[in-house]
Amino acid sequence: MNAKELREKTPDQLRDQLLALKKEAFNLRFRQATNQLENTARMNAVRKEVARIKTVLNQMAAQAAAN
């Protein structure tokens, strides 16, 4: 999901999605530690999505504080 699509969502929706991604990242790390992870590229994609969501949330907070 790109940043443009994320900006269309509400902060509550973004926080829910962020929580789900963090749970997925935990599960991916756990599976990697037990050598059960097949798609290692998914870890990088999840990490980048988390960063993207955090960036959009911070931009929304800054914009709300400025107004």
Side-chain angles (χ1 to χ4, degrees):
M1 188 172 294
N2 60 21
K4 183 178 178 182
E5 293 171 350
L6 292 174
R7 287 187 186 98
E8 295 171 355
K9 294 188 175 193
T10 65
D12 288 334
Q13 290 173 327
L14 290 174
R15 285 187 202 99
D16 290 342
Q17 188 173 0
L18 183 62
L19 184 62
L21 286 171
K22 284 188 174 189
K23 285 180 182 179
E24 182 180 355
F26 173 79
N27 289 332
L28 289 171
R29 285 194 311 270
F30 190 84
R31 288 200 324 226
Q32 184 184 29
T34 58
N35 291 325
Q36 296 176 350
L37 184 62
E38 295 175 3
N39 185 6
T40 57
R42 181 67 185 148
M43 289 181 68
N44 196 22
V46 169
R47 225 176 62 236
K48 286 183 179 185
E49 274 190 64
V50 167
R52 200 172 291 125
I53 290 173
K54 284 185 175 183
T55 300
V56 170
L57 280 171
N58 285 335
Q59 288 173 345
M60 288 180 173
Q63 186 178 22
N67 292 337

